[in-house]
């Protein structure tokens, strides 16, 4: 048992000898918002969405093309063989004058798609902030639980030495020594598990931040101002749940993106229906020709035309396109409605979970006080000879469990607080992007 404890101390000392980098929650959030692969890809895709908007506006403008050619001919006739060559150049332009408003609907759809993509990126940023914070809290929680286990190992080792001395003096039976040896050994085993859990929590966070898990980091605790937040801060605001839901619908980026997706799908119907409406297009061209390049502009011509195209029958292709556009719009409407219902659930349940975790934290704090006092009493009774070793061991287990429950409750409260902020669309991310 001493060797296991000594190994733990040596492991801790060896860790301190390695150059360690200090990682704060703010720094972790900055790293996450700059390195997250999904966010990087989304920003790259945003450039394509912006290009779609430019292309949609470009469809309103005339096209312009130029071409040049050299022609050689050789003909055999009754009079003999004739050959010749010549040069030519043409500039032409085409413009859509009217296409059933499809071009304007395409612009509207592209702009809404671009704005929706930006809202989706902001929503992803909030997800990253929440997930990073949750992983960071897990590291702090695991570290605090590790300290509890380390302290418990020291206590049990010291208590074992005391019992062994008392057994030598004949004041306690050898059975008490055996039971305490089991208790001390179990404490060391739980310490190893706590160490493994701490390393796992660190690796999970570092991997999420795209950092090297082989490097050593120290983690700064959250400030007192952050950890001292109470659910009562929200109780007054949540007196009217409907108002909180309205605020969430106004602030949440995923809902804004979903609304734009639906509106863009409505534009898609307009685009599809343009296939039933006559279209008008214009064309103009200017061409020149000559036997030599220097004579290219000696012969020229200009043509212009306006074309009216009337759709009569397309084999039901247009009707098929319209139907698919309507289905897309209906599905987008359903997605928006489903998201609205989910937001109501998120806000309500998030607030209830916060209240429950606050109550759990209050109870856990009182439980620690009670368990600590009970442990003192049982230790004193045992030292006076009026208590049993079993009562002491159980009191120790209860105290450790109470400490662990308090740590779990505190970080569950902090996580639920951030989750509620996320549900309300209030989770801050812009200050971490600088």
């Amino acid at each position: 048992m001493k060797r296991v404890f000594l190994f733990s101390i040596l492991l801790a000392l060896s860790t301190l000898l390695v150059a360690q980098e200090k990682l704060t929650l703010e720094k972790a959030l900055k790293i996450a918002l700059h390195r997250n692969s999904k966010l990087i890809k989304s920003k790259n895709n945003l450039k394509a969405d912006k290009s779609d908007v430019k292309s949609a506006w470009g469809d309103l403008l005339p096209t312009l093309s130029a071409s040049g050619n050299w022609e050689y001919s050789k003909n055999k006739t009754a009079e003999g063989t004739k050959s010749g060559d010549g040069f030519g150049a043409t500039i032409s332009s085409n413009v859509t004058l009217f296409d059933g408003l499809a071009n304007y609907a395409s612009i509207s759809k592209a702009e809404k798609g671009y704005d929706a993509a930006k809202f989706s990126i902001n929503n992803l940023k909030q997800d990253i902030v929440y997930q990073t914070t949750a992983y960071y809290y897990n590291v702090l929680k695991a570290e605090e639980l590790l300290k509890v286990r380390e302290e418990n190992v020291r206590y049990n080792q010291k208590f074992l030495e005391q019992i062994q001395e008392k057994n030598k003096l004949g004041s306690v039976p050898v059975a008490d020594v055996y039971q305490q040896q089991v208790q001390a050994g179990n404490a060391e085993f739980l310490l190893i598990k706590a160490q493994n859990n701490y390393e796992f929590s660190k690796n999970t966070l570092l991997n999420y931040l795209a950092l090297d898990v082989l490097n050593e980091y120290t983690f700064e605790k959250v400030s007192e101002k952050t950890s001292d937040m109470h659910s009562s801060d929200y109780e007054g605001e949540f007196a009217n749940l409907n108002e909180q839901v309205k605020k969430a619908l106004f602030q949440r980026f995923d809902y804004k993106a979903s609304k734009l997706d639906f509106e863009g799908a409505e534009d898609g119907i307009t685009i599809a229906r343009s296939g039933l409406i006559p279209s008008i297009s214009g064309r103009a061209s200017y061409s020149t020709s000559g036997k030599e390049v220097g004579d290219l502009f000696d012969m020229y011509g200009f043509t212009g035309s306006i074309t009216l195209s009337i759709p009569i029958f397309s084999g039901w292709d247009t009707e098929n396109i319209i139907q698919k556009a309507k289905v897309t719009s209906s599905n987008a409407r359903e997605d928006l409605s489903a998201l609205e219902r989910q937001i109501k659930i998120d806000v309500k349940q998030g607030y209830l979970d916060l209240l429950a975790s606050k109550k759990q934290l209050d109870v856990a704090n009182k439980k620690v006080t009670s368990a600590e006092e009970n442990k003192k009493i049982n230790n004193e009774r045992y030292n006076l000879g009026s208590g049993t070793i079993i009562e002491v061991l159980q009191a120790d287990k209860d105290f450790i469990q109470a400490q662990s429950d308090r740590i779990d409750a505190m970080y569950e409260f902090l996580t639920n607080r951030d989750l509620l902020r996320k549900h309300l669309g209030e989770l801050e991310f812009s200050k971490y992007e600088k």
Side-chain angles (χ1 to χ4, degrees):
M1 290 182 286
K2 289 184 177 180
R3 285 181 295 178
V4 175
F5 185 54
L6 181 61
F7 170 75
S8 302
I9 295 176
L10 291 175
L11 180 64
L13 289 176
S14 64
T15 301
L16 292 175
L17 293 175
V18 180
Q20 294 180 326
E21 181 178 348
K22 186 176 183 180
L23 193 62
T24 65
L25 177 57
E26 181 178 355
K27 185 176 181 180
L29 291 171
K30 288 182 177 180
I31 293 173
L33 289 171
H34 284 88
R35 294 194 180 187
N36 185 270
S37 179
K38 188 176 181 180
L39 180 58
I40 292 173
K41 291 178 181 178
S42 297
K43 289 181 177 179
N44 291 337
N45 292 335
L46 188 63
K47 297 177 183 177
D49 294 322
K50 187 175 182 180
S51 181
D52 288 340
V53 175
K54 184 177 181 180
S55 177
W57 277 102
D59 289 340
L60 292 178
L61 303 176
T63 63
L64 185 64
S65 62
S67 63
N69 68 286
W70 171 77
E71 183 179 306
Y72 172 80
S73 64
K74 184 176 182 181
N75 300 303
K76 187 174 182 180
T77 65
E79 298 176 355
T81 301
K82 294 182 179 181
S83 62
D85 59 356
F87 296 88
T90 302
I91 296 178
S92 61
S93 176
N94 294 279
V95 62
T96 300
L97 301 174
F98 180 75
D99 62 353
L101 301 179
N103 45 11
Y104 292 100
S106 296
I107 293 172
S108 176
K109 184 178 181 181
E111 289 179 336
K112 288 169 183 173
Y114 177 60
D115 290 337
K118 289 192 291 185
F119 285 139
S120 295
I121 287 177
N122 286 341
N123 184 66
L124 177 57
K125 290 177 182 178
Q126 288 188 330
D127 289 341
I128 292 171
V129 168
Y130 171 75
Q131 191 62 70
T132 302
T133 305
Y135 283 148
Y136 194 89
Y137 286 159
N138 282 340
V139 173
L140 297 183
K141 180 175 73 172
E143 185 177 21
E144 291 192 32
L145 291 173
L146 176 60
K147 291 179 180 178
V148 170
R149 291 298 176 185
E150 288 173 342
E151 179 61 32
N152 187 242
V153 167
R154 287 191 288 269
Y155 163 79
N156 276 281
Q157 188 62 40
K158 183 178 181 181
F159 189 51
L160 175 60
E161 293 172 356
Q162 292 175 353
I163 293 179
Q164 288 173 334
E165 290 298 322
K166 289 183 178 182
N167 175 253
K168 290 178 182 179
L169 297 174
S171 59
V172 298
V174 69
D176 286 9
V177 176
Y178 293 151
Q179 291 190 59
Q180 179 54 29
Q181 285 177 340
V182 173
Q183 182 87 339
N186 188 59
E188 291 174 351
F189 168 70
L190 294 175
L191 171 60
I192 294 174
K193 288 187 65 176
Q195 288 173 330
N196 292 340
N197 185 58
Y198 176 54
E199 292 299 324
F200 177 80
S201 299
K202 287 198 301 181
N203 291 341
T204 301
L205 173 63
L206 296 177
N207 181 60
Y208 188 73
L209 299 179
L211 297 175
D212 190 348
V213 297
L214 297 180
N215 293 339
E216 291 296 331
Y217 294 89
T218 59
F219 301 89
E220 184 181 83
K221 291 185 178 181
V222 293
S223 65
E224 290 297 323
K225 182 178 180 182
T226 303
S227 61
D228 199 37
M229 289 290 296
H230 296 297
S231 59
S232 57
D233 297 336
Y234 295 94
E235 290 177 2
E237 296 180 9
F238 276 80
N240 190 335
L241 186 60
N242 289 330
E243 289 299 319
Q244 294 303 313
V245 171
K246 288 181 181 178
K247 183 167 69 172
L249 294 175
F250 177 76
Q251 295 180 154
R252 280 185 55 157
F253 293 111
D254 55 346
Y255 186 73
K256 293 178 181 179
S258 186
K259 281 185 67 176
L260 288 174
D261 286 340
F262 167 66
E263 293 172 3
E266 290 286 286
D267 290 330
I269 297 177
T270 302
I271 296 171
R273 284 176 174 166
S274 66
L276 300 175
I277 303 173
S279 62
I280 303 174
S281 61
R283 174 179 173 80
S285 65
Y286 175 81
S287 60
T288 65
S289 62
K291 284 190 171 294
E292 302 292 339
V293 175
D295 302 330
L296 193 59
F297 293 96
D298 290 347
M299 299 178 63
Y300 62 86
F302 174 81
T303 61
S305 65
I306 294 179
T307 303
L308 173 65
S309 299
I310 302 175
I312 298 176
F313 180 68
S314 62
W316 296 291
D317 286 343
T318 302
E319 286 78 0
N320 181 44
I321 295 173
I322 294 173
Q323 185 59 42
K324 287 183 177 180
K326 288 182 178 179
V327 170
T328 300
S329 177
S330 297
N331 290 340
R333 183 193 296 273
E334 181 57 31
D335 289 341
L336 181 62
S337 179
L339 180 58
E340 183 174 342
R341 294 194 300 270
Q342 186 60 49
I343 288 174
K344 292 178 181 179
I345 295 173
D346 288 344
V347 173
K348 182 178 180 180
Q349 191 61 48
Y351 176 61
L352 294 176
D353 288 343
L354 183 65
L355 288 180
S357 59
K358 177 57 172 62
K359 184 64 177 178
Q360 182 181 13
L361 180 57
D362 292 340
V363 173
N365 286 327
K366 295 176 182 177
K367 186 178 176 181
V368 169
T369 303
S370 175
E372 185 176 17
E373 185 63 25
N374 186 57
K375 181 179 178 180
K376 290 179 181 178
I377 293 173
N378 280 281
N379 280 339
E380 292 174 359
R381 290 181 60 208
Y382 181 75
N383 291 331
L384 294 173
S386 60
T388 65
I389 186 68
I390 295 177
E391 292 172 334
V392 174
L393 298 183
Q394 186 60 49
D396 177 53
K397 291 180 181 178
D398 292 342
F399 179 58
I400 295 301
Q401 187 62 52
Q403 287 181 301
S404 300
D405 289 345
R406 179 176 63 179
I407 294 170
D408 287 336
M410 183 181 71
Y411 285 103
E412 182 177 354
F413 171 74
L414 292 175
T415 301
N416 285 338
R417 180 204 62 188
D418 289 342
L419 183 58
L420 179 57
R421 288 176 174 173
K422 180 177 177 295
H423 290 330
L424 292 171
E426 296 178 344
L427 211 54
E428 177 61 38
F429 60 84
S430 57
K431 65 181 180 181
Y432 304 115
E433 296 182 289
K434 300 176 182 178

